[in-house]
Amino acid sequence: MTWREYHEATKHTVESLRRAPHSLDWANMPNPFRHYEGVPVLDLSADPPAPDAPALEVLRGVSGLTPAREGATFLSQLLFYSAAISASKCVSSTGYRYALRVNPSSGNLHPTEFHFRTRRMKEWPDGLYHYRPSTHMAEQRALGDVEMKSGGSSAPLVFVLTTITWREAWKYGDRAYRYCLHDIGHAWQALALAAQAIGCDSFAAGYFPDDEVAQLCRLADDEAPMLLVELRSASIPVHESYACETVWYGGQANQLSAEKADYAWIDRIHAATKLSNCPYPEILAAEPTPTGCGEIKLPPPASSIRAFGEVARLRRSALDFLGGTRSMSLTQLSAILATASQRLFADFAGAPFMQLYLYAHRVDGLQPGVYRHWPRSAELEQVKNGDQRVMAAGLSLGQELAGNACVAFSMVGDLDRAARAHGDRGYRYVHFEAGAIGHRLYLAAEALGLGATGIGSFYDEEVHRYLNLAPQQQVVYHFAIGYPVPDARVRG
Ligand SMILES: Cc1cc2nc3c(=O)[nH]c(=O)nc-3n(C[C@H](O)[C@H](O)[C@H](O)COP(=O)(O)O)c2cc1C
């Protein structure tokens, strides 16, 4: 099977939605919290110092500083601003309260788990850990020097982001693999930006032997490694000597639901995108990203002094946006697009695969219409004019938030170019990039006093036709930004 077959098979059409009506087995809903039980659990400092660098500056690539002097505070700060619980929401009919996290997730199902390997961090034992967001603690799965792949990294801190596809498939069926990949992209940027806000560089590797990493990290059978993220910087508090002997605790992974259904397309695309042998570190030069220009030059971006820490923790997905007449400014849009187009640091991110199409509904100085963004020249090219509200909502599976927003987006990826550079593995990379851009959109919108929502469901072919895309282009993610309808059920 190839990425193309999976992608075609999981496109939404009116017909496919009618054939697979939406019914959820609530009794079997997977637990969104994984625990590795029976291992030592280490506290991460409560209430770590908030990164106070302005969020928009961080999104533009400026580094902040950390006052952390030892490992537990540094790790606590990093995870509190990238992966921790940040709010809760109440189901009004039952009073049941559930957790929301710093990183967003389709359906709030959170398929992504954060594992990390530490070396020589001050007052923190070397080892392999799994982050437990439910209590903001670290499960110590091994103590000592652990390799996560042959010829592994010497960095003091390396994360392994894994996915549990069943969590998403429970709700979204075979299309869920796409959402798991988006989620990894969001989690990666949440981590990379929190790291940068506390003065750390990060670099992500998508190219690694999957089974070897899963075995060396002794991952549970339902977890698959997706991205390795290495953190390096003088701001990571380290000491000189190594701990030597390795002791494995491993731990028993909790069962997430009573039963687990199989999804054949997910098994196949996962197998097709796996690598078994990665003899050389890959920084492949993909064919360059096409360039173009538009007739509208974007103005200098709006600024904001809101601190990264506050923005990261207050970020929420809007359930809907205030339709009305209130618009956003072109300078705000310019700031959002500038942060979305920043370079990503990963072995697959040399030449971006993504292009943004905008459905502008209410942006001052921009006629309603569809525009293509050309990041290098900071220009917009108008490809359609006229009111797009009904169309944007309709293409997003009738979700009104895409029409009530000030601006909605189609992220369009060149999956063929990705496959020419990376084979089927490229399918993962395009979705990681889309999720990463989505995360930057969320934070930029929040920094500017707006709200945002990622939209994973859209009618693929209709978008393709409407935007008159070339055959090699595929829509991979939708997004909306505007003024959120207040949600009284959320508590910070
Ligand atoms: C990949 C992805 C796809 C999503 N798709 C939709 C969607 O189609 N419609 C929607 O209303 N929200 C969507 N969301 C938003 C999630 O429902 C939201 O992130 C989740 O409920 C958690 O809330 P929070 O973002 O406020 O933490 C999506 C989020 C992600 C990351």
Side-chain angles (χ1 to χ4, degrees):
M1 216 225 25
T2 62
W3 68 265
R4 197 182 298 279
E5 290 166 79
Y6 170 80
H7 197 70
E8 289 299 325
T10 55
K11 285 182 171 174
H12 276 324
T13 62
V14 175
E15 180 51 30
S16 70
L17 291 172
R18 201 177 297 131
R19 260 187 281 125
H22 205 59
S23 72
L24 294 177
D25 178 4
W26 287 105
N28 209 31
M29 179 182 171
N31 184 343
F33 294 108
R34 155 113 314 151
H35 301 307
Y36 281 87
E37 282 151 9
V39 301
V41 180
L42 275 63
D43 278 333
L44 295 169
S45 352
D47 208 10
D52 54 10
L56 274 189
E57 295 288 300
V58 173
L59 283 159
R60 285 194 199 115
V62 179
S63 287
L65 289 171
T66 177
R69 292 184 185 281
E70 33 74 42
T73 310
F74 181 87
L75 290 165
S76 175
Q77 200 179 20
L78 185 62
L79 288 159
F80 195 71
Y81 292 98
S82 60
I85 290 174
S86 54
S88 67
K89 208 167 191 170
C90 191
V91 182
S92 29
S93 54
T94 59
Y96 171 71
R97 188 160 281 285
Y98 58 92
L100 299 169
R101 306 189 200 180
V102 174
N103 55 319
S105 169
S106 28
N108 199 34
L109 296 165
H110 287 286
T112 304
E113 296 289 329
F114 291 65
H115 298 254
F116 56 97
R117 198 276 321 270
T118 62
R119 254 190 198 151
R120 295 186 298 131
M121 291 190 78
K122 260 190 197 152
E123 293 170 49
W124 181 267
D126 288 7
L128 180 70
Y129 297 84
H130 169 247
Y131 178 54
R132 182 186 278 192
S134 58
T135 53
H136 190 54
M137 287 172 154
E139 297 166 350
Q140 189 177 55
R141 304 195 55 236
L143 183 63
D145 198 17
V146 178
E147 276 306 350
M148 290 179 314
K149 68 180 174 91
S150 38
S153 149
S154 62
L157 186 52
V158 182
F159 277 80
V160 182
L161 302 183
T162 68
T163 197
I164 302 178
T165 53
W166 160 238
R167 283 207 183 114
E168 285 289 314
W170 167 78
K171 180 167 183 189
Y172 298 111
D174 282 314
R175 191 174 163 104
Y177 197 75
R178 300 189 189 193
Y179 303 160
C180 290
L181 301 179
H182 290 133
D183 260 59
I184 291 283
H186 280 278
W188 161 37
Q189 276 309 284
L191 187 64
L193 290 165
Q196 203 188 309
I198 56 176
C200 247
D201 296 332
S202 70
F203 192 80
Y207 181 82
F208 58 82
D210 297 61
D211 289 343
E212 184 186 292
V213 172
Q215 276 157 18
L216 288 174
C217 295
R218 304 195 193 181
L219 296 176
D221 289 347
D222 56 4
E223 259 183 78
M226 284 284 163
L227 204 57
L228 310 185
V229 186
E230 202 179 279
L231 268 63
R232 282 179 195 272
S233 155
S235 75
I236 302 180
V238 289
H239 62 83
E240 291 307 317
S241 62
Y242 279 88
C244 36
E245 208 185 322
T246 306
V247 183
W248 265 97
Y249 305 115
Q252 180 66 38
N254 61 338
Q255 194 179 336
L256 301 179
S257 49
E259 287 165 32
K260 179 175 169 292
D262 288 329
Y263 288 87
W265 281 108
I266 291 185
D267 293 345
R268 284 188 222 140
I269 182 68
H270 188 60
T273 57
K274 270 168 79 166
L275 298 172
S276 53
N277 181 17
C278 305
Y280 54 93
E282 183 182 71
I283 307 208
L284 269 185
E287 298 155 47
T289 310
T291 51
C293 58
E295 60 284 4
I296 299 163
K297 183 82 190 159
L298 286 161
S303 60
S304 150
I305 54 159
R306 286 188 71 200
F308 180 84
E310 179 192 334
V311 165
R313 291 202 48 100
L314 287 181
R315 178 214 65 79
R316 285 274 67 82
S317 295
L319 282 190
D320 200 356
F321 296 96
L322 299 168
T325 53
R326 194 168 170 203
S327 52
M328 66 188 282
S329 68
L330 197 52
T331 58
Q332 284 178 317
L333 181 63
S334 173
I336 288 168
L337 290 172
T339 61
S341 328
Q342 288 287 318
R343 182 175 162 210
L344 301 171
F345 293 93
D347 59 0
F348 52 85
F353 297 114
M354 210 59 58
Q355 176 145 55
L356 296 188
Y357 283 73
L358 287 71
Y359 306 78
H361 305 320
R362 293 187 317 285
V363 182
D364 293 336
L366 204 57
Q367 285 179 349
V370 177
Y371 297 84
R372 186 169 16 183
H373 179 224
W374 292 107
R376 230 174 263 175
S377 55
E379 287 170 353
L380 293 177
E381 174 192 357
Q382 186 159 24
V383 293
K384 281 181 194 293
N385 58 36
D387 190 341
Q388 302 296 320
R389 287 175 297 180
V390 171
M391 205 60 201
L395 292 173
S396 303
L397 241 64
Q399 298 187 74
E400 290 183 1
L401 78 172
N404 288 331
C406 293
V407 58
F409 297 84
S410 285
M411 292 189 206
V412 171
D414 189 337
L415 289 168
D416 280 296
R417 185 157 55 86
R420 282 197 298 278
H422 305 287
D424 286 319
R425 189 75 153 193
Y427 191 71
R428 294 188 186 181
Y429 299 163
V430 173
H431 288 77
F432 294 163
E433 186 185 326
I437 292 173
H439 201 70
R440 303 178 77 87
L441 293 178
Y442 264 118
L443 295 186
E446 178 68 39
L448 291 163
L450 298 158
T453 302
I455 302 175
S457 2
F458 41 79
Y459 289 115
D460 302 69
E461 288 298 324
E462 278 76 357
V463 177
H464 201 107
R465 274 195 292 276
Y466 189 63
L467 298 179
N468 201 16
L469 300 178
Q472 73 276 14
Q473 293 177 301
Q474 301 279 347
V475 54
V476 290
Y477 200 14
H478 271 194
F479 221 83
I481 293 179
Y483 294 96
V485 171
D487 187 350
R489 299 170 308 160
V490 175
R491 292 230 187 102

